[in-house]
Amino acid sequence: MVDSHADSSYWHPFAAMGAVRRSELVISRADDVWVWDDAGTRYFDATASLWCVNVGHGRREIADAVHRQMLEVATYQTFGDIINPPVRELTARLAALAPMPGAKVFLGSGGGDGIDTAAKLAREYFVRTGEPGRTVLISRTNAYHGTHGFGTALAGMPPNHIAGPWIPDTATVAHDDAEALEAEIARLGADRVAAFFCEPVIGAGGVLPPAPGYIERTREICERHGVLFVADAVICGFGRLGTWFGIERFGVVPDLIVFAKGITSGYQPLGGVVVHERIAAPFWDEPGAAPFRHGATYAGHPAAAAAALANLDILDGEGLLKRADELEGELLGALQTFADHPLVGEVRGGTGVLGALGIDPERLAADPGLPAKIAAAVRSRGALVRPMGSAVAFSPALTTRPEHLEVLVDALRGGLDAVAAG
Ligand SMILES: Cc1ncc(COP(=O)(O)O)c(C=O)c1O
C-alpha cells in the first residue's frame, strides 16, 4: 500500500500542493460506477472521473481492443500521407455520426489541444478565404475550455487568467444572454470576429444549462455575421446529453465541434475537432492547397483510436444514449431532495446527465471553503463528488442505476448535515 502521507513528488492539476503533498487519495481499483482506494474503501464515482467515464470503469472490451491494437501497431505517427486502420475507421464513423455534412476529423490527445486546434483552424480559415482581419475569438463568462494556450485565454473564469493576458484577440460575453453576443460582435465589427466558443451545457463553470433558445439564437447570430460557431462538446458529447455530440439536442449545425473525454470514456487520451465540409474546403479541395501546419506526435494514435471504437460499440450496443435520457431526470430528482437544505441555494441540472448543488450565497460568502468541505464530508461517507467555486457537481457514468443514486443521496445527506452542523 502507498504511504499517502509521505511527501509526494506528483504535482497535481488544479491542486493546492502545500495541502495535498502529504495527503493524497490513492485510487487503485475501479469497476463500473465504483472506485476503491488502496485501503480497500469503496466510493460511488459520482463524477465519472472528470465527467468522462461514460461507459463506466473496468470494461474488458476496451482493454482488449487496446491490447490487440498494441500488438498490431502500438504507435505510429500520421503526418503527411500516413494513417492506420483504427484511425481510418474511427474518423469515418465520427464523420457519419456528426450533425454536419461531409465532416472531416482532426485528432489530438484531449480537449485542451482540440480547443487550440479549433482556434487556429478558425483563424486560418479566414486567412485562406480572404478575411485575415477576422482574428477575435469570443467565449462566455463561466466558460471552461481547458488549460492550453487558447483555452486559458478563453476561460470565462478570471482566476484562470493569472499571469495573463494570454492571447490578445479574445473577448468574453455573458453566458446567459444571446444579445450580449450580438452587441459584442457589433462593438468589435463583424469583420474582426473569427469564432464563438460555446459549451452546450457549461460544465466546470458551474453546470449551467442554456436558457431556452440560447443556443439556437447564438447560432443564428453567428451565421448572420459570418462568425464560426464552435461547439465545445468535450463534456457534453458521447451520450452525456443523450446524443453523440451534445449539440444536436438543440437542433443546430455548428461549424466545428471539439470533443474528448467520452470519446474513449477516458480509457485512452484522445480528443479532436469535427469540421464542417465548408470550413475544411480551403484546406482539402485543391490538390495544391498548403498544409494546415498543426498537429502533434500522437495525432491519430492507433491504440487511442482502438479504445474509441470499442467505446462507441458499447455506447451503441447497450443503448446508453437512450439510457442517458432517463438518467438525466433520475439524477435531477435525486438532487432535488436537497432543494430545501440550508446549505443549498439552487439545484441545477435536467439537461443531460449533469447536475450541481449551488451553495446558498450567504453561507458561501461567510465560508468560501464550503464546496470543498462538503466534498470531503461526502467522500468520507462513500461518494466522490466535485467541488467547484460555488457548487458541488455530479456527472456519473451512463450505467448508473437508481440504486446507485440512493447511495449518492445517503452520502450527500450525511455530508451536508455534518457540514451544516459545523
Ligand atoms: C468544456 C471543456 N472543454 C475543454 C476541456 C479540456 O479538456 P482536457 O482536460 O482534456 O484538456 C474541458 C475539461 O474539462 C472541458 O470541460
Side-chain angles (χ1 to χ4, degrees):
M1 192 170 125
V2 176
D3 178 1
S4 58
H5 294 293
D7 203 10
S8 180
S9 302
Y10 180 56
W11 193 328
H12 295 237
F14 281 91
M17 286 312 303
V20 163
R21 60 188 296 171
R22 287 193 183 78
S23 176
E24 298 172 307
L25 176 68
V26 182
I27 299 296
S28 52
R29 192 157 73 82
D31 183 44
D32 194 17
V33 299
W34 306 104
V35 297
W36 286 261
D37 66 19
D38 67 344
T41 306
R42 188 181 81 160
Y43 306 89
F44 172 62
D45 181 9
T47 61
S49 181
L50 263 185
W51 332 76
C52 63
V53 190
N54 292 4
V55 299
H57 297 279
R59 293 294 194 139
R60 181 163 286 278
E61 307 93 299
I62 303 181
D64 286 346
V66 172
H67 181 243
R68 271 195 310 275
Q69 182 56 46
M70 288 190 120
L71 296 177
E72 295 286 327
V73 51
T75 182
Y76 208 83
Q77 59 95 4
T78 59
F79 283 37
D81 63 349
I82 293 174
I83 195 166
N84 55 71
V87 162
R88 200 157 162 110
E89 186 183 341
L90 175 65
T91 49
R93 197 160 162 185
L94 292 174
L97 293 173
M100 52 269 246
K104 312 299 178 207
V105 184
F106 200 99
L107 294 178
S109 304
D113 74 36
I115 291 289
D116 269 18
T117 301
K120 290 173 69 175
L121 191 52
R123 286 175 59 159
E124 189 167 332
Y125 167 78
F126 286 113
V127 171
R128 290 183 184 225
T129 53
E131 293 187 88
R134 285 191 185 258
T135 55
V136 179
L137 308 169
I138 301 180
S139 59
R140 301 155 75 200
T141 53
N142 292 66
Y144 182 78
H145 298 294
T147 52
H148 287 46
F150 280 100
T152 302
L154 291 170
M157 303 173 186
N160 288 11
H161 292 162
I162 279 182
W166 294 99
I167 290 167
D169 286 2
T170 49
T172 310
V173 294
H175 69 79
D176 51 357
D177 179 5
E179 302 321 310
L181 174 64
E182 177 94 61
E184 185 62 6
I185 293 173
R187 189 186 71 79
L188 290 159
D191 57 350
R192 289 193 54 217
V193 183
F196 172 58
F197 285 71
C198 180
E199 292 165 83
V201 173
I202 286 181
V207 183
L208 305 170
Y214 175 87
I215 301 282
E216 298 86 330
R217 174 87 178 121
T218 52
R219 207 302 162 238
E220 182 273 314
I221 291 169
C222 287
E223 181 113 41
R224 189 154 34 78
H225 293 291
V227 171
L228 303 190
F229 186 101
V230 182
D232 181 346
V234 168
I235 286 178
C236 294
F238 303 101
R240 197 148 288 282
L241 296 200
T243 64
W244 287 110
F245 293 97
I247 190 72
E248 312 90 317
R249 185 163 170 148
F250 305 94
V252 307
V253 178
D255 295 300
L256 304 169
I257 303 174
V258 180
F259 63 89
K261 295 191 190 280
I263 176 70
T264 62
S265 285
Y267 281 64
Q268 290 282 292
L270 181 64
V273 186
V274 180
V275 185
H276 193 293
E277 63 179 352
R278 182 176 59 80
I279 310 305
F283 301 82
W284 280 59
D285 284 2
E286 293 300 327
F292 179 39
R293 300 188 67 81
H294 177 79
T297 304
Y298 302 134
H301 196 283
L309 286 166
N311 177 62
L312 295 182
D313 286 345
I314 295 172
L315 286 167
D316 214 8
E318 297 184 9
L320 289 178
L321 272 56
K322 189 163 174 305
R323 170 69 193 131
D325 284 343
E326 303 158 359
L327 184 55
E328 84 174 27
E330 293 168 9
L331 176 64
L332 183 63
L335 297 180
Q336 274 165 342
T337 326
F338 301 101
D340 295 328
H341 195 280
L343 291 183
V344 175
E346 189 186 20
V347 176
R348 296 198 281 269
T351 308
V353 185
L354 291 165
L357 295 180
I359 307 303
D360 176 74
E362 274 180 31
R363 303 291 291 256
L364 188 68
D367 181 359
L370 274 178
K373 284 181 189 164
I374 293 167
V378 174
R379 180 194 286 186
S380 70
R381 288 164 177 80
L384 297 180
V385 300
R386 178 119 193 100
M388 300 190 292
S390 59
V392 178
F394 312 89
S395 53
L398 307 183
T399 54
T400 299
R401 311 293 318 170
E403 58 270 27
H404 301 138
L405 293 177
E406 284 171 22
V407 173
L408 174 63
V409 166
D410 286 347
L412 270 174
R413 183 171 298 114
L416 284 165
D417 287 351
V419 173

